[in-house]
Amino acid sequence: MKRSLLCFGFLMILGGSGLARMDRTAPAFYVVLNSLTKNCTVADKLPRTDTPNITVASDTIYKTRAEAETAIKTLKPCNP
């Protein structure tokens, strides 16, 4: 009983301070490549993995749309 209360206490401390969860409110933008058209676009959601011919052009997560649009000009998959 004491062990479970102790574990519960640690979970409450970590959960209350935000260490145990990710910040879901931060904006995230991705550079997405359509492999059929060789065209890159900026998306505010990560593309689904079961979508054919659509991939993420870079592993980087951008905080603003402007940063992602600037990155399109420099990424190698977007500029053949």
Side-chain angles (χ1 to χ4, degrees):
M1 182 70 174
K2 288 182 182 182
R3 180 182 283 177
S4 63
L5 287 175
L6 182 63
C7 291
F8 179 73
F10 281 126
L11 287 175
M12 292 303 295
I13 290 170
L14 290 176
S17 65
L19 295 175
R21 60 183 169 212
M22 291 177 34
D23 186 15
R24 301 262 185 214
T25 61
F29 295 95
Y30 305 92
V31 177
V32 179
L33 171 68
N34 183 339
S35 60
L36 289 178
T37 62
K38 305 292 185 207
N39 189 13
C40 288
T41 58
V42 177
D44 59 349
K45 294 181 183 176
L46 190 63
R48 294 175 27 183
T49 57
D50 62 345
T51 307
N53 305 321
I54 303 293
T55 58
V56 177
S58 172
D59 292 333
T60 307
I61 300 171
Y62 300 97
K63 294 181 182 180
T64 64
R65 183 173 292 276
E67 287 178 1
E69 289 172 352
T70 304
I72 286 177
K73 298 173 186 172
T74 60
L75 288 174
K76 188 174 182 178
C78 299
N79 298 312

